[in-house]
Amino acid sequence: MLARRYIYRVIGLLVLLLFVAFFGVPLLWLLLAPTKTDYQLAHQAPLAFGSLGTFIHTFNRVINYQGGLMLTWLKNSAIYSGGGTALALLAAIPAGYGLALTQFIGRRTLLAVTLVVMIMPATALVMPLFLEASAVNLVGTAWAVILPFAFFPFGVYLAYIYFSSTIPKDLLAAARIDGAGEWGVFLHVALPLARPIVALVAFFAFVGDWTNYYLPFVMTYTNSEYPVTVGLQILIGSAPIFSPTASGYAGSEIYRPDLAMATLIGALPILIIFLFAQRTLVKGMLAGATKG
Amino acid sequence: MAVSDERISARRRRRAGGQRGGLPAGTSRTAGYFFVAIYVVLLLALGVAPAVYAIALALSTSGGVGVSHFVDTFNFFEFLPAFEHIAEFEGIWLASQTVFVVLLALMVHTLKRRVSTAFRLIFYLPGAMAGSASAIIWLFMFTPSGSPFAFILHGLHYQVLSNTVQPSNLPIVFAIMAFFTGAGGWIVIMYGALNNIPDELIEAAEIDGSSALQTAVRIKIPLIRKWIVYMLVLSFAAGSQLFVEPQILGVATNGQVPAQWSPNQLAYYLAFQQDSFNNAAAVSVDLLVIGLLVAVLLVWRGRLFEVE
């Protein structure tokens, strides 16, 4: 009995380690690949460490690629995600408050529509959004990316759950009796208490916007407009290893360590946010359950 | 006249007060509109309008209104294969994700808290690589020369990337990419759901002689069932929209992965390569209907989102 239990434990641990390898090894490889030259990458052990000097050299190559294209892409990503997140907050936090703590005709309908749109994958709307944007001549402008990001029904739902479950109505009533207007009650009573939900909505919006590929891919046309997710695809197109026709002019080639470095740089902001936000993520995703 | 108006508004106020979630006296009736205004404008302009416009484009034909764009796109030789690809991908991905996510969450849940935190972090960190980053990483992982998983690929007699990403392998290839970035978040969520199960319940079962396996199957899994359903439905909806992975792989293999592999790619191809916005709209309306059906089903039939 005891022996059998022991065997189960060992098997269980092995399975866990197998998945640790599946999830962890690609990330580890991504960290190590830029420490090697292209030749080393192909001929050394995949998880061998090259040198710190090569890592810095690769970093500089990527940053200086075509006169700092990578920085332009990062800047674009920051503008699209930052702008989209700011607008999403501006719309979602008051909307969640309004749905949770005020009464108006059509409130339940709006809530139901919000739920439906929230569950529908945002990707499903990209083509229709493109068709709409091209009808009003927005394609190729930052607004064509930022405005769709601003529409964030999941954030409205999270804010709604938060306000309806954590803000005591008596508190708001007291403020009203004290003569505060509706806007004042929201601004001076509810909003200061809503800091956690603002952080949560910002987290989900920003991560979703930064990693979004399809929408900016469709809405932007030129190198100077791409965010980093789309820029990475351009780099693959310039890598002779994947695109033999992409020889180009001297110095414009992208080698495998460069591609790994660019991927790493592009994902770094989200990696950092993720490292500090695991608890936030659980809270947000379980919000439905605590309410239900 | 004034009297009756007053009476009506008094009745309204009573009715409002009598409702669940009714508001204390003194609350303004119109303030609500003010708070939701920006969101409603965005909802109409960026949720409803594009959908309506896509439907209108898809239905407008040279002879007025008709379904010819739907018929035409259906008859494209890439159309049915694209949906078949997605169906095969979803089958592999959803089945493996459900089994492994539940299994890993249950296993991690039996570990000491500090140990389990480390495991959960490793599982969910790849989520930061969502989108093109994960596709590029796996491009390297699937290239037999230099991949840390080369021993597996060589075992399968794959010598170059194009062997790994041969057409019949693509659903599995994309399922692996999707699992890599998506599974960790769900493991963390399932773990959270398992933590919500009262300890007394588990202890009582153990006192009654229930083995770890029995406790998992009879108590824990039924109690997190709604999260498993939620994961399945959301993943299905997201999977039907697959775009970035086949797109990146297409670029990296010089078109060995066709540019119309998934329905969303087909819609993109129709709009940009064929300059047919009407046909692109028809395919995206097909996809929109799938997403909408799934969402409506979950909201109306599932009890997950108790609105009030």
Side-chain angles (χ1 to χ4, degrees), chain A residues 12 29 102 105 107-108 111 114 121 132 147 157 160 229 233 242 244 274 278 282 285 289, chain B residues 23 31-33 39 45-46 107 120 124 132 140 188 227 237 251-252 254 264 305 307-308:
Chain A
W29 178 90
T102 66
I105 300 161
R107 194 183 64 93
R108 288 190 63 93
L111 208 48
T114 300
E132 185 191 27
L147 285 177
Y157 176 72
Y160 160 75
T229 44
Q233 184 194 318
F242 293 121
F274 264 45
Q278 188 178 1
V282 187
M285 296 302 273
Chain B
L23 300 171
Y33 297 114
Y39 168 62
L46 301 155
M107 290 171 82
R120 275 175 289 139
Y124 112 118
S132 50
F140 286 112
V188 169
W227 287 103
V251 174
N254 261 325
N264 243 332
F305 302 103
V307 169
E308 311 253 79

mmCIF file of all heavy atoms in Angstrom, chain A residues 12 29 102 105 107-108 111 114 121 132 147 157 160 229 233 242 244 274 278 282 285 289, chain B residues 23 31-33 39 45-46 107 120 124 132 140 188 227 237 251-252 254 264 305 307-308:
data_model
loop_
_atom_site.group_PDB
_atom_site.id
_atom_site.type_symbol
_atom_site.label_atom_id
_atom_site.label_comp_id
_atom_site.label_asym_id
_atom_site.label_seq_id
_atom_site.Cartn_x
_atom_site.Cartn_y
_atom_site.Cartn_z
ATOM 1 N N GLY A 12 3.790 11.055 -10.489
ATOM 2 C CA GLY A 12 3.216 12.400 -10.492
ATOM 3 C C GLY A 12 4.291 13.466 -10.653
ATOM 4 O O GLY A 12 4.152 14.381 -11.462
ATOM 5 N N TRP A 29 15.518 28.810 -23.513
ATOM 6 C CA TRP A 29 16.212 28.873 -24.804
ATOM 7 C C TRP A 29 16.218 30.312 -25.322
ATOM 8 O O TRP A 29 17.225 30.800 -25.826
ATOM 9 C CB TRP A 29 15.519 27.943 -25.806
ATOM 10 C CG TRP A 29 16.147 27.985 -27.160
ATOM 11 C CD1 TRP A 29 17.170 27.187 -27.597
ATOM 12 C CD2 TRP A 29 15.831 28.882 -28.226
ATOM 13 N NE1 TRP A 29 17.508 27.545 -28.882
ATOM 14 C CE2 TRP A 29 16.706 28.571 -29.292
ATOM 15 C CE3 TRP A 29 14.905 29.902 -28.390
ATOM 16 C CZ2 TRP A 29 16.672 29.254 -30.504
ATOM 17 C CZ3 TRP A 29 14.864 30.586 -29.590
ATOM 18 C CH2 TRP A 29 15.741 30.267 -30.632
ATOM 19 N N THR A 102 -26.399 52.592 -10.318
ATOM 20 C CA THR A 102 -27.465 53.519 -10.686
ATOM 21 C C THR A 102 -28.553 52.726 -11.394
ATOM 22 O O THR A 102 -28.367 51.564 -11.743
ATOM 23 C CB THR A 102 -26.967 54.635 -11.632
ATOM 24 O OG1 THR A 102 -26.591 54.049 -12.878
ATOM 25 C CG2 THR A 102 -25.812 55.405 -11.048
ATOM 26 N N ILE A 105 -33.284 53.036 -17.537
ATOM 27 C CA ILE A 105 -33.973 52.153 -18.476
ATOM 28 C C ILE A 105 -32.947 51.556 -19.436
ATOM 29 O O ILE A 105 -32.117 52.273 -19.990
ATOM 30 C CB ILE A 105 -35.053 52.930 -19.253
ATOM 31 C CG1 ILE A 105 -36.067 53.503 -18.261
ATOM 32 C CG2 ILE A 105 -35.768 52.027 -20.271
ATOM 33 C CD1 ILE A 105 -36.901 54.636 -18.830
ATOM 34 N N ARG A 107 -30.794 49.181 -18.526
ATOM 35 C CA ARG A 107 -29.595 48.764 -17.802
ATOM 36 C C ARG A 107 -29.340 47.264 -17.952
ATOM 37 O O ARG A 107 -28.224 46.832 -18.246
ATOM 38 C CB ARG A 107 -29.757 49.110 -16.320
ATOM 39 C CG ARG A 107 -28.479 49.049 -15.506
ATOM 40 C CD ARG A 107 -28.761 49.335 -14.053
ATOM 41 N NE ARG A 107 -29.618 48.288 -13.488
ATOM 42 C CZ ARG A 107 -29.136 47.217 -12.870
ATOM 43 N NH1 ARG A 107 -27.851 47.061 -12.701
ATOM 44 N NH2 ARG A 107 -29.947 46.290 -12.405
ATOM 45 N N ARG A 108 -30.393 46.454 -17.757
ATOM 46 C CA ARG A 108 -30.215 45.000 -17.846
ATOM 47 C C ARG A 108 -29.844 44.578 -19.261
ATOM 48 O O ARG A 108 -29.032 43.677 -19.455
ATOM 49 C CB ARG A 108 -31.491 44.277 -17.386
ATOM 50 C CG ARG A 108 -31.708 44.351 -15.876
ATOM 51 C CD ARG A 108 -32.838 43.433 -15.465
ATOM 52 N NE ARG A 108 -32.526 42.044 -15.742
ATOM 53 C CZ ARG A 108 -31.972 41.217 -14.838
ATOM 54 N NH1 ARG A 108 -31.710 41.651 -13.633
ATOM 55 N NH2 ARG A 108 -31.709 39.977 -15.161
ATOM 56 N N LEU A 111 -26.253 45.270 -19.825
ATOM 57 C CA LEU A 111 -25.443 44.285 -19.106
ATOM 58 C C LEU A 111 -25.366 42.977 -19.894
ATOM 59 O O LEU A 111 -24.290 42.387 -20.047
ATOM 60 C CB LEU A 111 -26.084 44.054 -17.730
ATOM 61 C CG LEU A 111 -25.201 43.633 -16.578
ATOM 62 C CD1 LEU A 111 -23.972 44.513 -16.485
ATOM 63 C CD2 LEU A 111 -25.993 43.702 -15.284
ATOM 64 N N THR A 114 -23.231 43.398 -22.943
ATOM 65 C CA THR A 114 -21.825 43.446 -22.530
ATOM 66 C C THR A 114 -21.257 42.042 -22.337
ATOM 67 O O THR A 114 -20.155 41.737 -22.771
ATOM 68 C CB THR A 114 -21.689 44.253 -21.229
ATOM 69 O OG1 THR A 114 -22.168 45.566 -21.461
ATOM 70 C CG2 THR A 114 -20.247 44.319 -20.769
ATOM 71 N N PRO A 121 -14.871 36.284 -29.127
ATOM 72 C CA PRO A 121 -13.465 36.649 -29.309
ATOM 73 C C PRO A 121 -13.326 37.967 -30.073
ATOM 74 O O PRO A 121 -14.022 38.178 -31.074
ATOM 75 C CB PRO A 121 -12.885 35.494 -30.123
ATOM 76 C CG PRO A 121 -14.026 34.667 -30.555
ATOM 77 C CD PRO A 121 -15.239 35.046 -29.798
ATOM 78 N N GLU A 132 -15.078 48.838 -41.703
ATOM 79 C CA GLU A 132 -15.654 50.092 -41.217
ATOM 80 C C GLU A 132 -14.609 51.213 -41.258
ATOM 81 O O GLU A 132 -14.877 52.315 -41.749
ATOM 82 C CB GLU A 132 -16.168 49.908 -39.787
ATOM 83 C CG GLU A 132 -16.889 51.124 -39.217
ATOM 84 C CD GLU A 132 -17.143 51.010 -37.719
ATOM 85 O OE1 GLU A 132 -16.374 50.317 -37.025
ATOM 86 O OE2 GLU A 132 -18.114 51.628 -37.238
ATOM 87 N N LEU A 147 -8.772 53.054 -31.029
ATOM 88 C CA LEU A 147 -10.218 53.051 -30.739
ATOM 89 C C LEU A 147 -10.767 51.639 -30.512
ATOM 90 O O LEU A 147 -11.486 51.424 -29.527
ATOM 91 C CB LEU A 147 -10.985 53.784 -31.846
ATOM 92 C CG LEU A 147 -10.846 55.314 -31.801
ATOM 93 C CD1 LEU A 147 -11.586 55.960 -32.976
ATOM 94 C CD2 LEU A 147 -11.369 55.867 -30.477
ATOM 95 N N TYR A 157 -17.309 44.636 -17.351
ATOM 96 C CA TYR A 157 -17.850 43.564 -16.519
ATOM 97 C C TYR A 157 -17.095 43.476 -15.188
ATOM 98 O O TYR A 157 -17.705 43.388 -14.120
ATOM 99 C CB TYR A 157 -17.769 42.235 -17.280
ATOM 100 C CG TYR A 157 -18.220 41.055 -16.482
ATOM 101 C CD1 TYR A 157 -19.572 40.864 -16.200
ATOM 102 C CD2 TYR A 157 -17.312 40.123 -15.986
ATOM 103 C CE1 TYR A 157 -19.995 39.783 -15.449
ATOM 104 C CE2 TYR A 157 -17.722 39.041 -15.247
ATOM 105 C CZ TYR A 157 -19.062 38.869 -14.980
ATOM 106 O OH TYR A 157 -19.476 37.802 -14.232
ATOM 107 N N TYR A 160 -18.087 46.346 -13.049
ATOM 108 C CA TYR A 160 -19.459 46.145 -12.579
ATOM 109 C C TYR A 160 -19.475 45.207 -11.371
ATOM 110 O O TYR A 160 -20.096 45.503 -10.342
ATOM 111 C CB TYR A 160 -20.322 45.590 -13.724
ATOM 112 C CG TYR A 160 -21.576 44.902 -13.270
ATOM 113 C CD1 TYR A 160 -22.675 45.651 -12.823
ATOM 114 C CD2 TYR A 160 -21.671 43.514 -13.263
ATOM 115 C CE1 TYR A 160 -23.820 45.018 -12.385
ATOM 116 C CE2 TYR A 160 -22.808 42.877 -12.832
ATOM 117 C CZ TYR A 160 -23.881 43.624 -12.391
ATOM 118 O OH TYR A 160 -25.011 43.002 -11.948
ATOM 119 N N THR A 229 4.635 43.485 -32.290
ATOM 120 C CA THR A 229 4.147 42.152 -32.681
ATOM 121 C C THR A 229 4.193 41.967 -34.196
ATOM 122 O O THR A 229 4.547 40.903 -34.686
ATOM 123 C CB THR A 229 2.701 41.923 -32.210
ATOM 124 O OG1 THR A 229 1.938 43.090 -32.481
ATOM 125 C CG2 THR A 229 2.628 41.592 -30.755
ATOM 126 N N GLN A 233 7.252 39.964 -37.434
ATOM 127 C CA GLN A 233 7.025 39.234 -38.684
ATOM 128 C C GLN A 233 7.906 39.794 -39.812
ATOM 129 O O GLN A 233 8.397 39.049 -40.649
ATOM 130 C CB GLN A 233 5.560 39.308 -39.091
ATOM 131 C CG GLN A 233 5.318 38.480 -40.332
ATOM 132 C CD GLN A 233 3.995 38.737 -40.999
ATOM 133 O OE1 GLN A 233 2.982 38.868 -40.342
ATOM 134 N NE2 GLN A 233 4.015 38.811 -42.320
ATOM 135 N N PHE A 242 15.071 31.770 -42.808
ATOM 136 C CA PHE A 242 13.676 31.405 -43.070
ATOM 137 C C PHE A 242 13.222 31.856 -44.459
ATOM 138 O O PHE A 242 12.356 31.242 -45.059
ATOM 139 C CB PHE A 242 12.748 32.003 -42.008
ATOM 140 C CG PHE A 242 12.968 31.411 -40.651
ATOM 141 C CD1 PHE A 242 13.328 32.218 -39.582
ATOM 142 C CD2 PHE A 242 12.821 30.062 -40.429
ATOM 143 C CE1 PHE A 242 13.540 31.672 -38.332
ATOM 144 C CE2 PHE A 242 13.025 29.506 -39.178
ATOM 145 C CZ PHE A 242 13.393 30.322 -38.124
ATOM 146 N N PRO A 244 15.002 32.565 -47.787
ATOM 147 C CA PRO A 244 16.262 32.576 -48.538
ATOM 148 C C PRO A 244 16.331 33.719 -49.548
ATOM 149 O O PRO A 244 17.417 34.155 -49.922
ATOM 150 C CB PRO A 244 16.240 31.231 -49.265
ATOM 151 C CG PRO A 244 15.285 30.389 -48.508
ATOM 152 C CD PRO A 244 14.273 31.318 -47.921
ATOM 153 N N PHE A 274 3.810 40.242 -15.850
ATOM 154 C CA PHE A 274 3.348 38.914 -15.436
ATOM 155 C C PHE A 274 4.038 38.447 -14.155
ATOM 156 O O PHE A 274 3.414 37.848 -13.295
ATOM 157 C CB PHE A 274 3.627 37.894 -16.550
ATOM 158 C CG PHE A 274 2.438 37.658 -17.426
ATOM 159 C CD1 PHE A 274 1.681 38.720 -17.884
ATOM 160 C CD2 PHE A 274 2.076 36.382 -17.797
ATOM 161 C CE1 PHE A 274 0.586 38.510 -18.689
ATOM 162 C CE2 PHE A 274 0.975 36.158 -18.610
ATOM 163 C CZ PHE A 274 0.240 37.216 -19.057
ATOM 164 N N GLN A 278 0.647 37.676 -10.871
ATOM 165 C CA GLN A 278 -0.079 36.414 -10.890
ATOM 166 C C GLN A 278 -1.345 36.470 -10.035
ATOM 167 O O GLN A 278 -2.405 36.021 -10.431
ATOM 168 C CB GLN A 278 0.820 35.279 -10.397
ATOM 169 C CG GLN A 278 0.177 33.911 -10.593
ATOM 170 C CD GLN A 278 1.080 32.784 -10.145
ATOM 171 O OE1 GLN A 278 2.173 33.007 -9.663
ATOM 172 N NE2 GLN A 278 0.624 31.567 -10.305
ATOM 173 N N VAL A 282 -5.494 35.906 -11.111
ATOM 174 C CA VAL A 282 -6.445 34.968 -10.514
ATOM 175 C C VAL A 282 -7.682 35.712 -10.042
ATOM 176 O O VAL A 282 -8.812 35.302 -10.281
ATOM 177 C CB VAL A 282 -5.808 34.244 -9.311
ATOM 178 C CG1 VAL A 282 -6.738 33.161 -8.811
ATOM 179 C CG2 VAL A 282 -4.480 33.654 -9.693
ATOM 180 N N MET A 285 -9.919 36.672 -12.994
ATOM 181 C CA MET A 285 -10.573 35.587 -13.685
ATOM 182 C C MET A 285 -11.583 34.883 -12.795
ATOM 183 O O MET A 285 -12.536 34.291 -13.267
ATOM 184 C CB MET A 285 -9.536 34.586 -14.202
ATOM 185 C CG MET A 285 -8.614 35.178 -15.240
ATOM 186 S SD MET A 285 -9.498 35.844 -16.681
ATOM 187 C CE MET A 285 -9.611 34.372 -17.684
ATOM 188 N N ALA A 289 -16.892 33.914 -10.543
ATOM 189 C CA ALA A 289 -17.293 32.874 -9.607
ATOM 190 C C ALA A 289 -17.732 33.446 -8.274
ATOM 191 O O ALA A 289 -18.712 33.012 -7.687
ATOM 192 C CB ALA A 289 -16.147 31.909 -9.385
ATOM 193 N N LEU B 23 -32.503 51.479 -5.323
ATOM 194 C CA LEU B 23 -31.589 52.512 -4.848
ATOM 195 C C LEU B 23 -32.222 53.344 -3.762
ATOM 196 O O LEU B 23 -33.430 53.533 -3.725
ATOM 197 C CB LEU B 23 -31.209 53.410 -6.012
ATOM 198 C CG LEU B 23 -30.519 52.656 -7.134
ATOM 199 C CD1 LEU B 23 -30.374 53.551 -8.324
ATOM 200 C CD2 LEU B 23 -29.181 52.159 -6.662
ATOM 201 N N ALA B 31 -28.562 59.994 -13.937
ATOM 202 C CA ALA B 31 -27.117 59.919 -13.767
ATOM 203 C C ALA B 31 -26.549 58.673 -14.437
ATOM 204 O O ALA B 31 -25.450 58.694 -14.984
ATOM 205 C CB ALA B 31 -26.766 59.929 -12.290
ATOM 206 N N GLY B 32 -27.306 57.585 -14.414
ATOM 207 C CA GLY B 32 -26.846 56.323 -14.980
ATOM 208 C C GLY B 32 -26.418 56.472 -16.429
ATOM 209 O O GLY B 32 -25.356 55.995 -16.830
ATOM 210 N N TYR B 33 -27.238 57.170 -17.203
ATOM 211 C CA TYR B 33 -26.918 57.358 -18.627
ATOM 212 C C TYR B 33 -25.582 58.051 -18.789
ATOM 213 O O TYR B 33 -24.805 57.755 -19.677
ATOM 214 C CB TYR B 33 -28.012 58.192 -19.310
ATOM 215 C CG TYR B 33 -29.360 57.538 -19.298
ATOM 216 C CD1 TYR B 33 -30.412 58.086 -18.586
ATOM 217 C CD2 TYR B 33 -29.582 56.364 -20.013
ATOM 218 C CE1 TYR B 33 -31.659 57.483 -18.572
ATOM 219 C CE2 TYR B 33 -30.815 55.754 -20.002
ATOM 220 C CZ TYR B 33 -31.852 56.313 -19.269
ATOM 221 O OH TYR B 33 -33.067 55.719 -19.264
ATOM 222 N N TYR B 39 -18.994 54.432 -22.819
ATOM 223 C CA TYR B 39 -18.949 53.021 -23.154
ATOM 224 C C TYR B 39 -20.004 52.674 -24.214
ATOM 225 O O TYR B 39 -19.724 51.918 -25.155
ATOM 226 C CB TYR B 39 -19.145 52.176 -21.886
ATOM 227 C CG TYR B 39 -19.393 50.720 -22.163
ATOM 228 C CD1 TYR B 39 -18.432 49.951 -22.807
ATOM 229 C CD2 TYR B 39 -20.584 50.106 -21.784
ATOM 230 C CE1 TYR B 39 -18.660 48.607 -23.071
ATOM 231 C CE2 TYR B 39 -20.827 48.775 -22.045
ATOM 232 C CZ TYR B 39 -19.855 48.030 -22.690
ATOM 233 O OH TYR B 39 -20.088 46.699 -22.959
ATOM 234 N N ALA B 45 -20.265 52.117 -31.803
ATOM 235 C CA ALA B 45 -19.392 52.455 -32.926
ATOM 236 C C ALA B 45 -18.422 51.322 -33.266
ATOM 237 O O ALA B 45 -18.066 51.137 -34.427
ATOM 238 C CB ALA B 45 -18.607 53.718 -32.602
ATOM 239 N N LEU B 46 -17.990 50.564 -32.244
ATOM 240 C CA LEU B 46 -16.925 49.587 -32.483
ATOM 241 C C LEU B 46 -17.353 48.148 -32.237
ATOM 242 O O LEU B 46 -16.576 47.222 -32.450
ATOM 243 C CB LEU B 46 -15.731 49.920 -31.589
ATOM 244 C CG LEU B 46 -15.171 51.322 -31.840
ATOM 245 C CD1 LEU B 46 -14.446 51.856 -30.632
ATOM 246 C CD2 LEU B 46 -14.252 51.303 -33.050
ATOM 247 N N MET B 107 -2.700 18.305 -9.621
ATOM 248 C CA MET B 107 -1.405 17.905 -9.072
ATOM 249 C C MET B 107 -0.748 19.054 -8.310
ATOM 250 O O MET B 107 -0.236 18.864 -7.207
ATOM 251 C CB MET B 107 -0.489 17.428 -10.205
ATOM 252 C CG MET B 107 -0.938 16.107 -10.792
ATOM 253 S SD MET B 107 -0.015 15.688 -12.263
ATOM 254 C CE MET B 107 1.413 15.002 -11.535
ATOM 255 N N ARG B 120 3.280 27.061 -10.710
ATOM 256 C CA ARG B 120 2.262 27.844 -11.415
ATOM 257 C C ARG B 120 2.914 28.964 -12.217
ATOM 258 O O ARG B 120 2.502 29.258 -13.329
ATOM 259 C CB ARG B 120 1.249 28.419 -10.416
ATOM 260 C CG ARG B 120 0.141 27.431 -10.072
ATOM 261 C CD ARG B 120 -0.773 27.977 -9.009
ATOM 262 N NE ARG B 120 -0.106 28.009 -7.707
ATOM 263 C CZ ARG B 120 -0.211 28.994 -6.836
ATOM 264 N NH1 ARG B 120 -0.939 30.055 -7.121
ATOM 265 N NH2 ARG B 120 0.416 28.936 -5.681
ATOM 266 N N TYR B 124 2.508 29.565 -16.240
ATOM 267 C CA TYR B 124 1.740 30.671 -16.819
ATOM 268 C C TYR B 124 2.595 31.778 -17.436
ATOM 269 O O TYR B 124 2.090 32.568 -18.218
ATOM 270 C CB TYR B 124 0.713 31.172 -15.800
ATOM 271 C CG TYR B 124 0.907 32.545 -15.216
ATOM 272 C CD1 TYR B 124 -0.062 33.531 -15.425
ATOM 273 C CD2 TYR B 124 2.017 32.860 -14.451
ATOM 274 C CE1 TYR B 124 0.087 34.785 -14.878
ATOM 275 C CE2 TYR B 124 2.175 34.107 -13.905
ATOM 276 C CZ TYR B 124 1.215 35.065 -14.115
ATOM 277 O OH TYR B 124 1.362 36.314 -13.587
ATOM 278 N N SER B 132 2.592 36.843 -31.762
ATOM 279 C CA SER B 132 3.657 36.448 -32.681
ATOM 280 C C SER B 132 4.884 35.916 -31.954
ATOM 281 O O SER B 132 5.621 35.102 -32.504
ATOM 282 C CB SER B 132 4.034 37.626 -33.577
ATOM 283 O OG SER B 132 4.268 38.773 -32.812
ATOM 284 N N PHE B 140 11.544 28.042 -33.867
ATOM 285 C CA PHE B 140 12.863 27.514 -33.510
ATOM 286 C C PHE B 140 12.751 26.131 -32.876
ATOM 287 O O PHE B 140 13.575 25.262 -33.138
ATOM 288 C CB PHE B 140 13.570 28.469 -32.535
ATOM 289 C CG PHE B 140 14.083 29.716 -33.186
ATOM 290 C CD1 PHE B 140 13.525 30.955 -32.901
ATOM 291 C CD2 PHE B 140 15.133 29.656 -34.085
ATOM 292 C CE1 PHE B 140 13.993 32.111 -33.497
ATOM 293 C CE2 PHE B 140 15.616 30.812 -34.689
ATOM 294 C CZ PHE B 140 15.045 32.043 -34.395
ATOM 295 N N VAL B 188 -3.761 28.266 -13.476
ATOM 296 C CA VAL B 188 -3.822 29.177 -12.337
ATOM 297 C C VAL B 188 -5.278 29.395 -11.905
ATOM 298 O O VAL B 188 -5.602 29.406 -10.713
ATOM 299 C CB VAL B 188 -3.152 30.520 -12.704
ATOM 300 C CG1 VAL B 188 -3.420 31.570 -11.651
ATOM 301 C CG2 VAL B 188 -1.650 30.324 -12.884
ATOM 302 N N TRP B 227 -15.946 25.791 -14.370
ATOM 303 C CA TRP B 227 -14.753 26.443 -14.908
ATOM 304 C C TRP B 227 -14.203 25.684 -16.097
ATOM 305 O O TRP B 227 -13.666 26.280 -17.033
ATOM 306 C CB TRP B 227 -13.677 26.595 -13.823
ATOM 307 C CG TRP B 227 -14.073 27.657 -12.871
ATOM 308 C CD1 TRP B 227 -14.591 27.490 -11.621
ATOM 309 C CD2 TRP B 227 -14.077 29.059 -13.124
ATOM 310 N NE1 TRP B 227 -14.901 28.708 -11.090
ATOM 311 C CE2 TRP B 227 -14.592 29.685 -11.975
ATOM 312 C CE3 TRP B 227 -13.690 29.840 -14.206
ATOM 313 C CZ2 TRP B 227 -14.739 31.062 -11.885
ATOM 314 C CZ3 TRP B 227 -13.831 31.221 -14.118
ATOM 315 C CH2 TRP B 227 -14.344 31.808 -12.958
ATOM 316 N N ALA B 237 -14.250 29.353 -28.899
ATOM 317 C CA ALA B 237 -14.537 30.608 -29.609
ATOM 318 C C ALA B 237 -13.245 31.256 -30.091
ATOM 319 O O ALA B 237 -13.136 31.688 -31.236
ATOM 320 C CB ALA B 237 -15.310 31.556 -28.696
ATOM 321 N N VAL B 251 4.962 32.891 -43.412
ATOM 322 C CA VAL B 251 6.083 33.766 -43.768
ATOM 323 C C VAL B 251 7.402 33.001 -43.632
ATOM 324 O O VAL B 251 8.286 33.091 -44.485
ATOM 325 C CB VAL B 251 6.101 35.024 -42.865
ATOM 326 C CG1 VAL B 251 7.347 35.854 -43.124
ATOM 327 C CG2 VAL B 251 4.854 35.853 -43.099
ATOM 328 N N ALA B 252 7.524 32.224 -42.546
ATOM 329 C CA ALA B 252 8.792 31.566 -42.244
ATOM 330 C C ALA B 252 9.061 30.366 -43.136
ATOM 331 O O ALA B 252 10.195 29.915 -43.230
ATOM 332 C CB ALA B 252 8.818 31.134 -40.783
ATOM 333 N N ASN B 254 8.120 30.252 -46.397
ATOM 334 C CA ASN B 254 7.958 30.671 -47.788
ATOM 335 C C ASN B 254 6.674 30.137 -48.401
ATOM 336 O O ASN B 254 6.660 29.671 -49.535
ATOM 337 C CB ASN B 254 9.144 30.184 -48.614
ATOM 338 C CG ASN B 254 10.134 31.302 -48.799
ATOM 339 O OD1 ASN B 254 9.725 32.460 -48.924
ATOM 340 N ND2 ASN B 254 11.401 30.968 -48.809
ATOM 341 N N ASN B 264 -10.020 32.948 -40.901
ATOM 342 C CA ASN B 264 -9.669 34.357 -40.751
ATOM 343 C C ASN B 264 -8.611 34.771 -41.760
ATOM 344 O O ASN B 264 -8.622 35.889 -42.274
ATOM 345 C CB ASN B 264 -9.154 34.632 -39.333
ATOM 346 C CG ASN B 264 -10.048 35.599 -38.591
ATOM 347 O OD1 ASN B 264 -10.710 36.432 -39.209
ATOM 348 N ND2 ASN B 264 -10.083 35.486 -37.285
ATOM 349 N N PHE B 305 -22.445 33.389 -15.310
ATOM 350 C CA PHE B 305 -22.538 34.824 -15.074
ATOM 351 C C PHE B 305 -23.913 35.160 -14.538
ATOM 352 O O PHE B 305 -24.821 35.447 -15.289
ATOM 353 C CB PHE B 305 -22.277 35.592 -16.359
ATOM 354 C CG PHE B 305 -20.946 35.284 -16.937
ATOM 355 C CD1 PHE B 305 -20.835 34.444 -18.022
ATOM 356 C CD2 PHE B 305 -19.808 35.810 -16.377
ATOM 357 C CE1 PHE B 305 -19.593 34.143 -18.542
ATOM 358 C CE2 PHE B 305 -18.574 35.510 -16.895
ATOM 359 C CZ PHE B 305 -18.467 34.677 -17.977
ATOM 360 N N VAL B 307 -26.151 37.557 -13.529
ATOM 361 C CA VAL B 307 -26.073 38.999 -13.713
ATOM 362 C C VAL B 307 -26.515 39.724 -12.454
ATOM 363 O O VAL B 307 -25.891 40.673 -12.001
ATOM 364 C CB VAL B 307 -26.898 39.428 -14.934
ATOM 365 C CG1 VAL B 307 -27.032 40.937 -14.974
ATOM 366 C CG2 VAL B 307 -26.213 38.938 -16.194
ATOM 367 N N GLU B 308 -27.610 39.306 -11.859
ATOM 368 C CA GLU B 308 -28.052 39.953 -10.618
ATOM 369 C C GLU B 308 -28.432 38.864 -9.611
ATOM 370 O O GLU B 308 -29.114 37.934 -9.963
ATOM 371 C CB GLU B 308 -29.287 40.819 -10.861
ATOM 372 C CG GLU B 308 -29.149 41.748 -12.034
ATOM 373 C CD GLU B 308 -28.971 43.182 -11.612
ATOM 374 O OE1 GLU B 308 -27.858 43.563 -11.230
ATOM 375 O OE2 GLU B 308 -29.934 43.919 -11.660
#
